[in-house]
Amino acid sequence: MIGRDRGGKPLLRGVVGGVLVAAGVAAALGAAPARADEAADGADTWVSFEVVATGGLYVSAPCAARLSTSEPGGTASGPLGEVRVVDERAVRDATWTATVTVSRDFAAGAHGPQESISGGRVVYRPGAAVDSFNGPFVPGTPGPLDTYRTAFSRPSGSGVNSVAWRPTLHVHVPTAGVAGTYHGVVTHSVA
């Protein structure tokens, strides 16, 4: 049972229901005794901050590449160098597809029919990833560049990611092709 002193402060009198009541000790320490029917007090602070993306979605490729020589009816081939996709969007659905095409046919001289090679005769082989972060990444299927072809893709995942690969190009020279130095443009895009 708890009694009160002349000032109305609780006094320790004994055991109530098998539990020692220490109200007098709590009062002596300056703390108000907690009642069994009262919940503990608390104060929540909602904290927020913003994660800011450092950039966008980019593709880079070498400015120039030189393939092997070929005779009419043969194949000029070689590496294009390192192609890289960097995704700094930091989004929940960070999927993308990098495509490749011949944006300017290979031509020599006056660009006549015997001096021009279209993308349908140019085969692109992406190869495997040589440097990657936060995949998965999937290389495209080798094939001709008469239309846009998948070079590499990221089919799932979130957050910042990057991958590099070293594709090779094989240009099938027509049998009726003429001698000369052929120039064309291979374009990589990502979206």
Side-chain angles (χ1 to χ4, degrees):
M1 177 169 210
I2 299 176
R4 303 235 174 235
D5 67 9
R6 290 185 191 175
K9 293 185 181 176
L11 295 173
L12 179 61
R13 293 270 183 151
V15 177
V16 177
V19 177
L20 179 62
V21 179
V25 175
L29 295 175
R35 291 183 4 204
D37 61 344
E38 290 181 353
D41 192 19
D44 293 335
T45 302
W46 289 92
V47 178
S48 63
F49 64 94
E50 186 176 358
V51 176
V52 180
T54 58
L57 179 61
Y58 311 101
V59 63
S60 61
C63 294
R66 178 94 174 162
L67 304 182
S68 67
T69 59
S70 175
E71 57 198 31
T75 301
S77 61
L80 288 184
E82 186 173 283
V83 179
R84 180 178 295 273
V85 169
V86 176
D87 183 359
E88 296 177 332
R89 298 171 297 167
V91 294
R92 184 186 313 267
D93 179 16
T95 60
W96 50 260
T97 300
T99 57
V100 60
T101 191
V102 170
S103 56
R104 181 177 174 190
D105 288 346
F106 288 85
H111 301 275
Q114 291 82 22
E115 300 170 305
S116 184
I117 303 172
S118 69
R121 300 184 68 87
V122 179
V123 175
Y124 181 91
R125 297 183 183 277
V130 294
D131 181 22
S132 64
F133 168 72
N134 193 20
F137 302 105
V138 179
T141 305
L145 297 181
D146 51 344
T147 185
Y148 284 93
R149 171 169 294 280
T150 297
F152 245 84
S153 65
R154 185 175 195 245
S156 64
S158 62
V160 173
N161 62 89
S162 65
V163 66
W165 65 96
R166 295 186 182 123
T168 57
L169 210 61
H170 305 272
V171 180
H172 300 293
V173 179
T175 306
V178 298
T181 301
Y182 286 73
H183 301 279
V185 178
V186 173
T187 300
H188 288 86
S189 305
V190 66

